[in-house]
Amino acid sequence: MTDTTRKQAAPCGTWTSPITAAVVAAGATPLSQVLLDGGDVFWLAGRASEGGRNTLLRNRGGQVDELTPAPFNARTRVHEYGGGATLVADSHIWFSNFADNRVYRLDRAGSGEPVPVSAGGDERWADFVLDRAHRRLIGVREDHSAGGTYPDNTLSALGADGTVTVLVDGNDFYSSPRISPDGTHLAWLSWDHPRMPWQGTELWLAEIGEDGTLLDGRLIAGGADEAIVQPEWSPDGTLYFVSDRSGWWNLYRYEHGVVHPVCPRAAEFGGPHWVFGNSMYGFRSAQEIVCTYIEDGVSQLARLDVRNGHLTPIATPYEQISELRVEGDTVALLGGAPTLAAEIACIDLATGQRNVLARSIEQLPDVSYLSVPQSIRYPSKGEKTADRTAYAFYYPPTNRDFAPQPGELPPLMVIGHGGPTSMAASTLKLATQFWTSRGIAVLDVNYGGSTGFGRAYRDLLKGQWGVVDVEDCVAGAQYLVDNDLVDRERLVIRGGSAGGLTTLCALAFHDVFKAGASYYGVSDLKGLDADSHKFESHYNEYLIAPKESADRVYAERSPINHTDKLHRPMIFFQGLDDKVVPPPQSEVMVSALRARGVPVAYITLAGEGHGFRKADSIVRTLEAELYFYLRVFGIPVPESLPPIDIENLAA
C-alpha cells in the first residue's frame, strides 16, 4: 500500500507523471485483426512512427516475424472504416494495400515480394474468403469508378489472374461472405439505406454452382428490425449467426430451414458492424463453441455446449475481449483490463495455459501511477426524456508521488465516446492515464445508445442524438459533484467524432461544463449529411429525424446554430484529410466562437484523417489540450509544455 503521508501536496493538473504525451504516442501499438491458421497466429500492428502503417505479423513457435515490408500498409477503406484487410489460407496471404487499393498475394512463408492481384485505383476490397474449388477470393468490393455520388458495393469474386466477377449486387451494402466447409454454399449479409447494420441486416444463403455462380439465393433470417452479425459455419456444415431478435445479440443456428436459439441470455455475443472481420466466437468442434460475451459492459470468455446451451467460464485476466479466433484447443484473442493494455494472447484449452504474444504497450508504467476505474451506474433524465439508468467508468486521480492540496477537489474530464453506437471499455489506455496521473479525474460514459447493454438501451438514441447522450454525460458529472468527488467549477467535456457533437451540445444547451475539447467533432448536422460518405449518409435519419422533418430538428440541435449560447472556452482538433467529418465542421465553429469573443484554440493536422495515427500528432494534441485546460483554469503551466495560441483568452 502506498504511504500517502509521503506524498507531495500539489494543485491537481500539475502533478509530474512518467506518462508523458510521448509515452502515450510511442507506447501504444494498435493491434487488430487476429487470425489463427495452422497453429500460426497472425495480427496487424499499427506503426505510429511510420505514419500509422499497418503491418502483418506472425507468431510461429514463439518467433514473431513481420510479413508485409514497408511501405506496404495492410489497410482498406471499404465503408471508410475498413477492417477485414487480410486473409491467411493454405500457403498464401492476401492483403489490401492502403496506398493503391490493390489486393496483394504473399507467400505464407514470408519469402518473396507481394504480388498484385487486383487492379486497385478506384476499386477497394475487404472481408475476403478463399473459394478453393474455383481458385478465387470472394469478398466485398467497393467500386468508385462510376463517378456518382456514392460508390457501388457488391459481393464479388477475384480470380488469381485479377478477373472480377460480380456475384451479388443490388443492395447498398454487403459483408461477411462465408463458404461452407464442403465449398458448396455461401452465406452473406446485406442491408440497404437508410438502415445501419446494427439496426437491420439480412442473412442470405445460396448454392455455389460448378461454374462459380450463385444459385437459389434465399433470405433465411433478418430484416429491417433485426440486426445479424458474424455468420459462421460449424465443422459439420451447420450455419450459425448472432441476432438481436430477442433484444440481445445472442447466438442462433439454421438447420433444415428453421432458426434455433443456442444460448438465450441477457448478454451481447456480438457487436455493431463498424469494421469488417469482427469475431466474438469460433468452433472448438461441431458440439462446442468458444465465445466472448458482454454483461454490464464487461467481457466474459466461455465454452458453450451447443447441444444444451450451457456456458462454462474460462478464466482470464481480461475485462474486454475481441478478435476471438479458435482452432482446436487453441484460442487466440485481443484482450485488455484496467491494468493491462490491449494484448494478443493464446490460450490452450487443454492445459489452461495462457501465452501473451504481443502487447500494445511493451513497457507499462508502475501500477502506482495507474488509476483503476470503478464501474458506476447512476440516474439520468431530461426535460423530454424518461428517467433511466446510465453507465460509466470513473477513474479517480492516481499518482504515487502526489496528492491534492488540502481541501482541493480534482477537476473532472467527461468523455463521450464516438460512434455513437460504440462502447467505453475499461482496458488500460495511457491516453486516459495521462490525465489521471496529473490529478484530473476522468468519467468515461456509456450513454444511452451505447453497445453492450442490449438493443433497448442502444435504441435510446433513436431520434435523440445530441440529447440523451448529452443528458447522460451531464448527469454523470453532476453525480460525481453531488458525491463530493470532483470540483464543480472545473468540469470539462471532450469527445471525438460523434462524441464531438456530444461535447458541443453539452456546452451549448447546458451550463454544467466549464470548458471542452472537440476532436474532429460534428457541429452542423445538415452539413454532415451533405459531406458524409455512403456508409453513414443516412445514419442521421435514425439518430436525428426522418428526412421530412430533418431540417427543423437539425436546426434545433446543431451547435453551429446556437453559438450565442456558447460562452465556455473550447479547443478544436481537426485532421485536414478527414473524409468522415471534414474540416469545415470544425472551421465554422471556430470562426463563430472567434467572432463572439469566446476563448478558442484550433489545431489542424496535415496528413491525418478521421482519427490521429501519427506519433507527432498524438503528442501535439495531448500537450495542447493540457496546456489549454491549465490556462483557462488558471493552473500554473509547466515550462516544458509547448504553448499554443488561445484566441480571446484575455477577454
Side-chain angles (χ1 to χ4, degrees), residues 106 191 263 285 343 491 587 611:
L106 183 66
W191 66 97
C263 181
S285 68
E343 58 187 32
L491 306 177
E587 291 165 0

Side-chain angles (χ1 to χ4, degrees), residues 39 180 218 280 291 335 374 426:
S180 61
R218 57 200 183 277
M280 290 181 65
C291 59
Q374 304 165 16
S426 61

Side-chain angles (χ1 to χ4, degrees), residues 1 11 47 72 175 184 194 208 210 230 259 282 379 382 436 442 525 539-540 598-599 606:
M1 182 177 295
R47 298 280 174 82
F72 287 103
S175 78
T184 63
I208 304 176
E210 290 186 8
Q230 200 187 342
V259 173
T436 56
V442 171
L525 292 166
Y539 194 12
N540 281 345
V598 177

Side-chain angles (χ1 to χ4, degrees), residues 110 118 136 301 309 339 356 390 444 467 491 545:
S118 71
R136 63 185 184 175
L301 186 67
T339 56
V356 177
D444 206 357
V467 179
L491 306 177

